Amino acid sequence: PTALLVLGIQQIHVGEEMIGKISAAGQLMRCSASLDVLFLLDGSYSIGKGSFERSKHFAGKLCDALDIHPDRVRVGMIQFSSTPHLEFPLDSYLTKQEVKERIKRTVFRDGSTETGRALKYILHKGFPGGRNSSVPEILIIISDGKSQGSTAMPAMQVKERHITVFAVGIKFPRWEELHVLASEPPERHLLFAGDADDAANGLYSTLSDPVCTATAPGCKVESHPCERRTLETVKELAGNYVCWKGSKQPSAVQASLCPFVRWKRVLIKHPSRCFRTVCPDPCDSQPCQNGGTCVPEGLDRYHCLCLLGYGGDIHCAAKLSLECSVDLLFLMDSSAGVTLEGFLRFKAFLKRFLQAVVGQDSPMSVGVAQYDDSVKIPIELGQHKDAISLMKSIDALNFSGGRTLTGRALQYIAQHGFRSTPVFADVQDDLPRVVVLLTDSKSQDSVAEAAEYARDQNLFLIGIGSSFMREELTTVTGNPQQTIVYSDPQDLFNRMPELQRKICSVGNPEGCQAQSLDLVFAVDASSGVGLENFLHLRHFVRSSCLHFIINRDVTQIALVIFGSKAHTVFALDTHTSNSAVLQAIDQVPFLGDSASAGSALLHVYSDVMTVQKGARPGVNKVVVLLTNGGGMQDAAAPAQQLRHNGVLVFVVVIGDTERDVLLRVAGSPSYLVHISSYEDLQYYQGLIIERICEEARSPVNLCKPNPCMNQGVCILGPGSYRCECHGWEGPHCETRVPRGDSPRSPALPPRSHVQWSPRGLQHFSRALQPSKR
């Protein structure tokens, strides 16, 4: 890729990599040699005060690359117009700061452009305050090149005295004259003041060989094409007009056509080459793997932008993996309906997905089939034992372009895809068998019966296609949770993690099932959501609850609705069956006032996720916040409190909201789902439930939330906990110690130990009821 870097009037055409290297080199430039540098600034009418100020800025910038010191680099300045004027000699100022301050104070003099006279002044006076040619002399002329007289002879004489001349163009320069002024070769000694950083680089690049030394190893001068432009006045023929001329006949006038000429100003481009110092950057070694893009950060640091599915380390290692053991067969649509472009997109997706999930140690049990009128299996299940040969076989797949007979393809795969050739002899028969259908074309035969037949053969079907294929794919899979739809070609690649999760969910019942979980839905019922959208949220909660086994031992569910205040619809220990929960959800009212998500999360923290309200020690806890994003400003602190107490906060936002605010509440991008519309909410249900269930399988801290009542302190033991009580007693500090000398009940020792077990939690809520006195 080529970038166009506009440097004032000059344009440098150079790749972005070169731009970065030039920029990095510019940060390192220092010339510490013994050197006399004399600036010759054009202060004439043609320059004008504005361009003269830019000339001063440029001179100051160049000083940044010079180590100004009496024993190293000395700097002086002459301004010329009608006559030359010494602004300050080379021995006037001893530090860089003094020189730059003096340059800033230089006053524009104006007059005609007598460049030749200024050069003769230097030939006569030499470098004022210099070291009499005992050190290299550098003359930097900053001008637009529009001199009143000839400059060729004095310029040649100056260069014959071994003075290195840099000609720097300002405004719209006359580059031909600047070529005459500059030392040989002119392409190394012509600069442009429109971009001071680039010009300082150019100066250093030319001086680094004979005079200055590079300050970083590996830096070198490289050339690249560039072009310089100047504004010139040209004559053009605009047409003809009737003009009158005399005639030989004394009383006659002859009419004629005369050419009409007009003058106009045009930009003339001068192609050239620029020489610049470039320094190696950390991305030269191409450290990013798997298609990652390296982004340099200065001279020695970088970061990698990784493709989806990669980022397992800083160099874009694969982060997805098929940790589950399955027989996996991809069925790709190769019909005319999907088009060659769609087929190639599916092929690229398949290749990238398998590269991301199939590691060196992964069991290679992958096959690929493609179909149109007929079905063929070019990559049979388990045929390849390494990822490289599998990728080569995928590359070799060709588009066929017949009719779209998805039903016939499913029937064939059910009968022959997982058994029929000797290659399957060593494949374990007891592995789950997964078929991933990739199609973007409506089937021209019936898919319902064939799909049902395939499912009867214990095939787990996953369908992938664009959004208009949703209904047909759901018919194929028999379950919307096994259907993946994408909105645009790039979105297909974003679905890789979702596909990996669905493949590895085969054989596992829906929802968390046997995993114990305390789950709270906090639903926005404010006017910002509106009644119609609130009903969408309520339906989402209802359908989500169908994926869990609700009882005291497995999943407990609570529901909170909120506007400006939060209300508990039912607590964790209120309902012990799915039917009771569903019936209660149907009765949830719409509130309709302003929203405060912070109040809702604080309510969950203090009044819902507590042992008094049925929260169980040793059980993972999740809050799902469903909102349109209103009233989130006060939610970050209570969300952090919940996380500190062992409760995961999962934020589902519908609509436009600032992502920074949402991330502070969710705590991590992994626990934030941003959905564009309420209608699309249903399509994210599978993803949200999978994330919740991942949390249900993570290790737990038996002391979070604190199971000890009445300010008791929870102390962890190996697989158990105990409550240290003060003024209370019982396993959870639920019984007040009698006053006076009454003995403690022998049945309740002062420091009780509770051994955790899932079944032992069945009557936990009853045990926590405080004694009445």
Side-chain angles (χ1 to χ4, degrees), residues 220-268:
K220 59 184 178 181
V221 176
E222 291 186 5
S223 69
H224 56 78
C226 59
E227 69 182 24
R228 298 182 171 91
R229 303 188 301 169
T230 187
L231 195 63
E232 297 186 7
T233 304
V234 297
K235 181 170 70 173
E236 72 170 6
L237 181 65
N240 297 309
Y241 67 100
V242 178
C243 58
W244 306 95
K245 297 182 178 180
S247 172
K248 292 180 180 179
Q249 300 175 13
S251 61
V253 178
Q254 184 177 342
S256 178
L257 289 177
C258 297
F260 174 67
V261 177
R262 66 182 175 193
W263 299 86
K264 70 174 185 177
R265 305 186 79 189
V266 294
L267 277 174
I268 306 296

Side-chain angles (χ1 to χ4, degrees), residues 321-374:
S321 65
L322 286 179
E323 296 171 350
C324 51
S325 294
V326 295
D327 289 342
L328 178 60
L329 183 67
F330 288 88
L331 179 59
M332 290 176 61
D333 186 346
S334 181
S335 68
V338 81
T339 72
L340 173 61
E341 181 186 2
F343 176 77
L344 293 176
R345 185 185 308 129
F346 281 144
K347 203 164 96 165
F349 170 80
L350 176 59
K351 188 174 176 182
R352 193 190 293 181
F353 176 75
L354 291 176
Q355 282 176 323
V357 301
V358 177
Q360 295 297 323
D361 303 323
S362 300
M364 295 299 295
S365 196
V366 176
V368 180
Q370 62 183 94
Y371 74 95
D372 50 4
D373 300 289
S374 59

Side-chain angles (χ1 to χ4, degrees), residues 18-48:
M18 178 68 78
I19 292 172
K21 292 183 177 183
I22 288 173
S23 174
Q27 299 172 31
L28 296 174
M29 288 187 188
R30 293 293 179 273
C31 188
S32 294
S34 293
L35 199 65
D36 282 352
V37 177
L38 181 63
F39 286 105
L40 188 59
L41 261 64
D42 187 342
S44 64
Y45 289 123
S46 62
I47 287 288

